[in-house]
Amino acid sequence: MPAETVRLTTAQALVRFLAAQYSERDGIEQRLIPGVWGIFGHGNVAGLGQALLQASQTGEADLPYYLARNEQAMVHASAAFAKMKNRLQTFACTASTGPGSTNMITGAALATTNRLPVLLLPSDMFASRVPDPVLQQLEDTRAGDVTVNDAFRPVSKYFDRIARPEQLIPAALAAMRVLTDPVETGAVTLCLPQDVQAEAFDWPVEFFRKRIWRIGRPVPESDAVARVAALLRSAERPLIVAGGGVVYSEAEAELRAFAEATGIPVADTHAGKGAVPWDHPAAVGGLGSTGTTAANALAAEADVVLGIGTRYSDFTTASHTVFADPDVTFANLNVARLDAAKHSAEMLLADAKSGLAALGKALEGWSVGADYRAEATQLADIWRATADECFNLNHGPLPAQTEILGALNEALDDSDVVINAAGSMPGDLQMLWRARDPKAYNVEYAYSCMGYEIAAGVGTKMAAPEREVVVLVGDGSYLMLSSEITTLVSEGLKVIIVIVQNHGFASIGALSESLGSQRFGTKYRYRDEQSGLLDGEVLPVDLAANAASFGAEVITAQSVAEFREAIAKAKANTRTTVVHVETDLTGPNPPGSAWWEVPVSEVSELDSTREAFDTYADHKREQRHYL
C-alpha cells in the first residue's frame, strides 16, 4: 500500500514540518522552533512568505511570523532567545535573495562561535538557472553552482542547498539533529532557491508527524571520574573555571554544592557568570584579561585547574599567561571533546550536571586546606572593596562608566537581565557586575559583536517576558544597529535601553593607546582642516532624539544621581524606555591584572609604538603552551 501523501510547495512543507518539531530534556517537552523571523524580498515573499501567510489563515501549522528591521539583528535575537532557553528552543530566520541573506552571515558566525542554535533559511538563486543571471546574482566564472550563500559554509555547523523539493526531507531532519546536539550546535543553514520554494511535491504525511528530539545528559566514564578525582586530591591550590556549559546544563546547584564541599574557589567566564552568586563564599569573580585581581592571583598559582563547560578563549587564559605555575595541570569537564581536550587536559566527557554529581561523589570527604579557603575569601573581599571604589568615584565633570554600572547594578533585582557585547563595557562588567542569577547576565563575548545588544534584548524579552531586560549599549554599537527599537515597539515588548554616550570607541581607544597608536581613529569628531585627522570638535549627534524617533520613550541623565532616577522611572514604565547618559571617554577604568595579546608593530618611527613593543615583548616571554 503506497504511503499517504499531501501535495504542498517546498515552503509550505517546511513550515508544516517546523511546527511539528519539539525538544525534550529531563521530561520537559517544548516547541523547538516556536516562530520565524523574517524580512521578505523577491527571493522568499512568494515562497516562505506565502507559506507562512497560508499557515496563519488556515491553521494548518502554528508558526508565528515576526518582522525584523535588519537581517543580522533577527539572527542575534534568535541566538539570545536560544541562550535564555538553554539551547532547547530557537527561531528560524528567512531572508530574501542576495544582500538580505548575506546580512545574516555575521549573526551566523556569532551563533556558531557561541555554540547557540539558530536555523537560517537564506533564499537562493534559481535552481533551474533558466533566468540566469537574475537580480543580485553572483556570477562565478569557476563554477555554476556557487552563490553568495556559500559564504555561510564556514560559519555554519550544518549547510545544505535544497535544489529539489524532495531533498528537504533528509536536510530538514539533519538540521534538527544538529540544532539539538549540545556538542555540534550552532548556526544551521538551509539555502532555499526561490523557484524550489514555490515548487509543489507529493510529500509523505509521515514527514509532518510530531517529532521529539531528546537531549540527554551524557554521563562520564567511571575511570575518567577516578582520574580527575585523583588529580584534584593531589592538588593544594586547585581552581574551578565555570563556563557557559554550567548554565546550559542547569548545573548551578551542583556546582555550588561541589564548591562548598571541596572548598575549591570558582572563577567564571562571561558565559558562566552567575552560576555561582557573586557573594557566594567560593566566588572569586571573572578570570583572565578582564578578570578580577582575586581570580587572577589564584590562577597564577593554581596547580590544578578544573574547567567546567568552558571553551578557554584567549580572554579567559589572558592569551596563555594567567595560569603561571610551570607544572599546572588541567582537567576539563565538558560535553564536547574539542573543549575537554584543551590544554592537554585530563578529559571528563559528560554533561556538566551529571559530571559534577559523579565527581562530587568521588571526592566525598576531601577538601582543600583551611588556609587556602581563607586566602581565596580574603582575595575576593579585597576585590569587592576595589569594586565598591570603582562604583563610587565621584568623577567629574562627566561620570565614569563604572559609576553608571554601579548605579545600575544596585537598581536591578536579582532576576533582571543585563545585556552587552562589545566595547569597554564587557571588561568592566566581567570585573564588576554582581550577578546572583545565571540568566541575569548576557554578555556576548565569544564573537563580541557590535550591534548585538538591542536585537538580543528583543530575543531575551521574548524568551523571558516576566523579567526586566536592560540593554547596555555604547554609542558605537548603537550607531551600528539600533533599528530593532522599532521591533520592540511594534511587538509591544518592554525593554530598558541604556545608551552610554562617550563620543568614540572607549575600548579600542584605550587599547590603541596601550599599543602605541595614540587613540588614532577612535573618536567621533569632525575632520580637522589643519591636521587632516578626525580630531576636531565633537560631532553634534543626538542619539536620544534618534531613539525617540523609533518610538521609544527617552530619559536623559546628566549625572549619576539623575541616572538613578531615570532607571527608577524606566522600571516603572510599561513600554520600551531609553536612558541616555554621557560618560568620560578615557575612564577611569577598573584596575587590570592580566594581559591580552594584540601584536605591536615590531619597527616604528613613533616613540609610543617602540615603547609599546618593549612591553609586548616582555609579556610574550610569559606566554606558554599548557603541555
Side-chain angles (χ1 to χ4, degrees), residues 555-616:
I555 306 170
T556 298
Q558 304 290 342
S559 65
V560 176
E562 288 185 10
F563 179 77
R564 294 179 190 275
E565 295 175 2
I567 290 298
K569 291 178 182 177
K571 290 190 71 173
N573 281 352
T574 58
R575 67 190 188 96
T576 288
T577 303
V578 171
V579 176
H580 180 277
V581 61
E582 289 200 38
T583 60
D584 191 329
L585 178 64
T586 58
N589 304 311
S593 57
W595 183 56
W596 182 46
E597 182 175 10
V598 178
V600 180
S601 296
E602 192 168 356
V603 295
S604 174
E605 298 298 318
L606 304 178
D607 290 341
S608 59
T609 306
R610 288 197 296 269
E611 291 170 4
F613 181 79
D614 290 341
T615 301
Y616 171 76

Coordinates of all heavy atoms in Angstrom, one line a residue, residues 555-616:
I555 N 14.7 59.1 28.3 CA 15.0 59.9 29.5 C 16.5 60.2 29.4 O 17.3 59.3 29.3 CB 14.7 59.2 30.8 CG1 13.2 58.7 30.8 CG2 15.0 60.1 32.0 CD1 12.9 57.7 32.0
T556 N 16.9 61.5 29.6 CA 18.3 61.9 29.6 C 18.8 62.2 31.0 O 18.1 62.9 31.7 CB 18.5 63.1 28.7 OG1 18.1 62.8 27.4 CG2 19.9 63.6 28.7
A557 N 19.9 61.6 31.3 CA 20.5 61.8 32.6 C 21.8 62.5 32.5 O 22.6 62.2 31.6 CB 20.7 60.5 33.4
Q558 N 22.1 63.5 33.3 CA 23.3 64.3 33.3 C 24.3 63.9 34.4 O 25.5 64.4 34.4 CB 23.0 65.8 33.4 CG 22.0 66.3 32.4 CD 22.6 66.3 31.0 OE1 23.8 66.3 30.8 NE2 21.8 66.4 30.0
S559 N 23.9 63.1 35.3 CA 24.8 62.8 36.5 C 24.4 61.4 37.0 O 23.4 60.8 36.5 CB 24.6 63.8 37.6 OG 23.3 63.7 38.1
V560 N 25.2 60.9 37.9 CA 24.9 59.5 38.5 C 23.5 59.6 39.2 O 22.7 58.7 39.1 CB 26.0 59.1 39.4 CG1 25.6 57.8 40.1 CG2 27.3 58.9 38.6
A561 N 23.3 60.7 39.9 CA 22.0 60.8 40.7 C 20.8 60.8 39.7 O 19.8 60.2 40.0 CB 22.1 62.1 41.5
E562 N 21.0 61.6 38.6 CA 19.9 61.6 37.6 C 19.7 60.3 37.0 O 18.6 59.9 36.6 CB 20.2 62.7 36.6 CG 20.0 64.1 37.1 CD 20.2 65.2 36.0 OE1 20.2 64.8 34.8 OE2 20.3 66.4 36.4
F563 N 20.8 59.6 36.8 CA 20.7 58.2 36.2 C 19.9 57.3 37.1 O 19.1 56.5 36.6 CB 22.1 57.7 35.9 CG 22.1 56.3 35.3 CD1 21.9 56.1 34.0 CD2 22.4 55.2 36.1 CE1 21.9 54.8 33.4 CE2 22.4 53.9 35.6 CZ 22.1 53.7 34.2
R564 N 20.2 57.4 38.4 CA 19.4 56.5 39.3 C 17.9 56.8 39.2 O 17.1 55.9 39.2 CB 19.9 56.8 40.8 CG 21.3 56.3 41.1 CD 21.7 56.6 42.5 NE 23.1 56.4 42.8 CZ 23.6 55.3 43.1 NH1 22.9 54.2 43.2 NH2 24.9 55.2 43.3
E565 N 17.6 58.1 39.1 CA 16.2 58.5 39.0 C 15.6 58.0 37.7 O 14.5 57.5 37.6 CB 16.0 60.0 39.1 CG 16.4 60.6 40.5 CD 16.4 62.1 40.5 OE1 16.0 62.7 39.4 OE2 16.7 62.7 41.5
A566 N 16.4 58.1 36.6 CA 15.9 57.7 35.3 C 15.7 56.2 35.2 O 14.7 55.7 34.7 CB 17.0 58.0 34.2
I567 N 16.5 55.4 35.9 CA 16.3 53.9 35.9 C 15.1 53.6 36.7 O 14.3 52.7 36.3 CB 17.6 53.2 36.5 CG1 18.8 53.3 35.5 CG2 17.3 51.8 36.7 CD1 18.5 52.7 34.1
A568 N 14.8 54.3 37.8 CA 13.6 54.0 38.5 C 12.4 54.3 37.7 O 11.4 53.5 37.7 CB 13.6 54.9 39.8
K569 N 12.4 55.4 36.9 CA 11.3 55.7 36.1 C 11.1 54.7 34.9 O 10.0 54.3 34.6 CB 11.5 57.1 35.4 CG 11.4 58.2 36.4 CD 11.6 59.6 35.7 CE 11.5 60.7 36.7 NZ 11.9 62.0 36.1
A570 N 12.3 54.3 34.4 CA 12.2 53.3 33.3 C 11.7 51.9 33.8 O 10.9 51.3 33.1 CB 13.6 53.1 32.7
K571 N 12.0 51.5 35.0 CA 11.5 50.3 35.5 C 10.0 50.4 35.8 O 9.3 49.4 35.6 CB 12.2 49.9 36.8 CG 13.6 49.5 36.7 CD 14.2 48.9 37.9 CE 13.6 47.6 38.3 NZ 14.3 46.9 39.4
A572 N 9.5 51.6 36.1 CA 8.1 51.7 36.3 C 7.3 51.8 35.1 O 6.1 51.6 35.1 CB 7.8 53.0 37.2
N573 N 7.9 52.1 34.0 CA 7.3 52.3 32.7 C 6.8 50.9 32.2 O 7.3 49.8 32.6 CB 8.2 52.9 31.6 CG 8.3 54.4 31.7 OD1 7.5 55.0 32.5 ND2 9.2 55.0 31.0
T574 N 5.8 50.9 31.3 CA 5.3 49.7 30.7 C 5.7 49.5 29.3 O 5.3 48.5 28.6 CB 3.8 49.6 30.8 OG1 3.2 50.8 30.1 CG2 3.4 49.6 32.3
R575 N 6.5 50.4 28.7 CA 7.0 50.2 27.3 C 8.5 50.5 27.2 O 9.1 51.0 28.2 CB 6.2 51.2 26.4 CG 6.4 52.7 26.6 CD 5.4 53.5 25.8 NE 5.7 54.9 25.8 CZ 6.4 55.6 24.9 NH1 6.9 54.9 23.9 NH2 6.5 56.9 25.0
T576 N 9.0 50.2 26.1 CA 10.5 50.4 25.9 C 10.9 51.8 26.2 O 10.3 52.8 25.7 CB 10.8 50.0 24.4 OG1 10.7 48.6 24.3 CG2 12.3 50.4 24.1
T577 N 11.9 51.9 27.1 CA 12.4 53.2 27.5 C 13.9 53.2 27.3 O 14.6 52.3 27.7 CB 12.1 53.4 29.0 OG1 10.6 53.3 29.2 CG2 12.5 54.8 29.5
V578 N 14.4 54.3 26.8 CA 15.8 54.6 26.6 C 16.3 55.6 27.6 O 15.7 56.7 27.7 CB 16.1 55.1 25.1 CG1 17.6 55.5 25.0 CG2 15.7 54.0 24.1
V579 N 17.4 55.2 28.3 CA 18.0 56.2 29.2 C 19.4 56.5 28.6 O 20.2 55.7 28.3 CB 18.2 55.5 30.6 CG1 19.0 56.5 31.5 CG2 16.9 55.2 31.2
H580 N 19.5 57.8 28.3 CA 20.8 58.3 27.7 C 21.6 59.0 28.7 O 21.2 59.9 29.4 CB 20.4 59.3 26.6 CG 21.6 59.9 25.8 ND1 22.3 61.0 26.3 CD2 22.1 59.5 24.7 CE1 23.2 61.2 25.4 NE2 23.2 60.3 24.4
V581 N 22.9 58.6 28.8 CA 23.8 59.3 29.8 C 25.2 59.4 29.1 O 25.6 58.5 28.4 CB 23.9 58.5 31.1 CG1 24.4 57.1 30.9 CG2 24.7 59.2 32.1
E582 N 25.9 60.5 29.3 CA 27.2 60.7 28.8 C 28.2 60.3 29.9 O 28.0 60.6 31.1 CB 27.4 62.2 28.4 CG 26.7 62.5 27.1 CD 27.3 63.7 26.4 OE1 28.5 63.9 26.4 OE2 26.5 64.5 25.9
T583 N 29.3 59.7 29.5 CA 30.4 59.4 30.4 C 31.7 59.8 29.8 O 31.8 60.2 28.7 CB 30.4 57.8 30.7 OG1 30.7 57.2 29.4 CG2 29.1 57.3 31.3
D584 N 32.7 59.7 30.7 CA 34.1 60.2 30.3 C 34.7 59.1 29.4 O 34.8 57.9 29.8 CB 34.9 60.3 31.5 CG 36.3 61.0 31.3 OD1 36.8 60.8 30.1 OD2 36.8 61.7 32.1
L585 N 35.1 59.5 28.2 CA 35.7 58.5 27.2 C 36.9 57.9 27.7 O 37.2 56.7 27.4 CB 36.0 59.3 25.9 CG 36.7 58.5 24.8 CD1 35.7 57.4 24.3 CD2 37.1 59.4 23.6
T586 N 37.7 58.5 28.6 CA 39.0 58.0 29.0 C 39.0 57.4 30.4 O 40.1 57.1 30.9 CB 40.1 59.1 28.9 OG1 39.7 60.2 29.8 CG2 40.2 59.6 27.5
G587 N 37.8 57.1 30.9 CA 37.8 56.4 32.2 C 37.5 57.2 33.3 O 36.7 58.2 33.2
P588 N 38.0 57.0 34.5 CA 39.0 55.9 34.9 C 38.4 54.5 34.8 O 37.2 54.3 35.0 CB 39.4 56.3 36.3 CG 38.2 57.0 36.8 CD 37.6 57.8 35.7
N589 N 39.2 53.5 34.5 CA 38.8 52.1 34.4 C 39.2 51.3 35.6 O 40.1 51.7 36.4 CB 39.5 51.6 33.1 CG 39.2 52.4 31.9 OD1 38.0 52.7 31.6 ND2 40.2 52.7 31.1
P590 N 38.6 50.2 35.8 CA 38.9 49.3 36.9 C 40.4 48.8 36.7 O 40.9 48.7 35.6 CB 38.0 48.1 36.7 CG 36.9 48.6 35.9 CD 37.4 49.6 35.0
P591 N 41.1 48.5 37.8 CA 42.5 48.1 37.7 C 42.6 46.7 37.0 O 42.0 45.8 37.4 CB 42.9 48.0 39.1 CG 41.7 47.8 39.9 CD 40.6 48.5 39.2
G592 N 43.4 46.7 36.0 CA 43.7 45.4 35.3 C 44.7 44.6 36.0 O 45.6 45.1 36.7
S593 N 44.7 43.3 35.8 CA 45.7 42.4 36.4 C 46.2 41.3 35.5 O 46.8 40.3 35.9 CB 45.1 41.8 37.7 OG 43.9 41.1 37.5
A594 N 45.9 41.4 34.2 CA 46.3 40.4 33.2 C 46.4 41.0 31.9 O 46.1 42.2 31.6 CB 45.3 39.2 33.2
W595 N 46.9 40.2 30.9 CA 47.3 40.7 29.6 C 46.4 40.2 28.6 O 45.7 39.2 28.8 CB 48.8 40.2 29.3 CG 49.4 40.6 28.0 CD1 49.6 41.9 27.6 CD2 50.0 39.8 27.1 NE1 50.2 41.9 26.4 CE2 50.5 40.6 26.0 CE3 50.1 38.4 27.0 CZ2 51.1 40.1 24.9 CZ3 50.8 37.9 25.9 CH2 51.3 38.7 24.8
W596 N 46.4 40.8 27.4 CA 45.7 40.3 26.2 C 46.6 40.5 25.0 O 47.1 41.6 24.8 CB 44.3 40.9 26.0 CG 43.6 40.4 24.9 CD1 43.4 39.1 24.5 CD2 42.9 41.2 23.9 NE1 42.6 39.0 23.4 CE2 42.3 40.3 23.0 CE3 42.7 42.6 23.7 CZ2 41.5 40.7 21.9 CZ3 41.9 43.0 22.6 CH2 41.4 42.1 21.7
E597 N 46.9 39.5 24.3 CA 47.8 39.7 23.2 C 47.2 40.3 22.0 O 46.3 39.7 21.3 CB 48.5 38.3 22.8 CG 49.5 38.6 21.7 CD 50.3 37.3 21.3 OE1 49.9 36.2 21.7 OE2 51.3 37.5 20.5
V598 N 47.7 41.5 21.6 CA 47.4 42.1 20.3 C 48.8 42.6 19.8 O 49.5 43.3 20.5 CB 46.5 43.3 20.5 CG1 46.3 44.0 19.1 CG2 45.1 42.9 21.0
P599 N 49.2 42.1 18.7 CA 50.6 42.4 18.2 C 50.8 43.9 18.0 O 50.0 44.6 17.6 CB 50.6 41.6 16.8 CG 49.6 40.6 16.9 CD 48.5 41.2 17.8
V600 N 52.1 44.2 18.3 CA 52.5 45.6 18.2 C 53.5 45.7 17.1 O 54.3 44.8 16.9 CB 53.1 46.1 19.5 CG1 53.6 47.6 19.4 CG2 52.1 46.0 20.7
S601 N 53.5 46.8 16.3 CA 54.5 46.9 15.2 C 55.9 46.7 15.7 O 56.3 47.4 16.7 CB 54.3 48.3 14.6 OG 53.1 48.4 14.0
E602 N 56.6 45.8 15.1 CA 58.0 45.5 15.5 C 59.0 46.6 15.2 O 59.9 46.7 16.0 CB 58.4 44.2 14.8 CG 59.6 43.5 15.4 CD 59.9 42.1 15.0 OE1 59.0 41.6 14.2 OE2 60.9 41.6 15.3
V603 N 58.7 47.3 14.2 CA 59.6 48.5 13.9 C 58.7 49.7 13.7 O 57.5 49.6 13.3 CB 60.4 48.3 12.7 CG1 61.4 47.2 12.9 CG2 59.6 48.0 11.4
S604 N 59.1 50.9 14.1 CA 58.3 52.1 14.1 C 59.2 53.3 14.2 O 60.2 53.3 14.8 CB 57.2 52.1 15.2 OG 56.5 53.3 15.2
E605 N 58.7 54.4 13.6 CA 59.3 55.7 13.7 C 58.7 56.4 14.9 O 59.2 57.5 15.3 CB 59.0 56.5 12.5 CG 59.7 56.0 11.2 CD 61.2 55.9 11.3 OE1 61.8 56.9 11.8 OE2 61.7 54.9 10.9
L606 N 57.7 55.9 15.6 CA 57.0 56.5 16.7 C 57.5 56.0 18.0 O 57.6 54.8 18.3 CB 55.5 56.3 16.7 CG 54.8 56.7 15.4 CD1 53.3 56.4 15.4 CD2 54.9 58.2 15.1
D607 N 57.9 56.9 18.9 CA 58.4 56.5 20.2 C 57.3 55.7 21.0 O 57.6 54.8 21.7 CB 58.8 57.8 21.1 CG 60.0 58.5 20.5 OD1 60.8 57.8 19.8 OD2 60.2 59.7 20.9
S608 N 56.1 56.2 20.9 CA 55.0 55.5 21.6 C 54.9 54.0 21.2 O 54.6 53.1 22.0 CB 53.7 56.2 21.4 OG 53.3 56.2 20.0
T609 N 55.0 53.7 19.9 CA 54.9 52.4 19.4 C 56.2 51.6 19.8 O 56.0 50.4 20.2 CB 54.8 52.4 17.9 OG1 53.7 53.2 17.5 CG2 54.6 51.0 17.3
R610 N 57.3 52.1 19.8 CA 58.5 51.4 20.2 C 58.4 51.0 21.7 O 58.8 49.9 22.1 CB 59.8 52.2 20.0 CG 60.1 52.3 18.5 CD 61.6 52.8 18.3 NE 61.8 54.2 18.8 CZ 61.7 55.3 18.1 NH1 61.4 55.2 16.8 NH2 61.9 56.5 18.6
E611 N 58.0 51.9 22.5 CA 57.8 51.7 23.9 C 56.8 50.5 24.2 O 56.9 49.7 25.0 CB 57.4 52.9 24.7 CG 58.5 54.0 24.8 CD 57.9 55.3 25.2 OE1 56.7 55.4 25.6 OE2 58.7 56.3 25.3
A612 N 55.7 50.6 23.4 CA 54.6 49.6 23.5 C 55.2 48.2 23.1 O 54.8 47.2 23.7 CB 53.4 50.0 22.6
F613 N 56.0 48.2 22.1 CA 56.6 46.9 21.6 C 57.5 46.3 22.7 O 57.5 45.1 22.9 CB 57.4 47.1 20.3 CG 57.9 45.7 19.8 CD1 57.1 44.8 19.2 CD2 59.3 45.4 20.1 CE1 57.6 43.6 18.8 CE2 59.8 44.2 19.7 CZ 58.9 43.3 19.0
D614 N 58.2 47.1 23.4 CA 59.0 46.6 24.5 C 58.2 45.9 25.6 O 58.5 44.8 26.1 CB 59.9 47.7 25.2 CG 61.0 48.2 24.2 OD1 61.3 47.5 23.3 OD2 61.4 49.3 24.5
T615 N 57.0 46.5 25.9 CA 56.1 46.0 26.9 C 55.5 44.7 26.3 O 55.4 43.7 27.0 CB 55.0 47.0 27.2 OG1 55.6 48.2 27.7 CG2 54.0 46.4 28.2
Y616 N 55.2 44.7 25.1 CA 54.6 43.5 24.4 C 55.6 42.3 24.5 O 55.2 41.2 24.8 CB 54.3 43.8 23.0 CG 53.9 42.7 22.1 CD1 52.6 42.1 22.2 CD2 54.8 42.1 21.1 CE1 52.2 41.0 21.4 CE2 54.4 41.1 20.3 CZ 53.1 40.5 20.5 OH 52.8 39.5 19.7

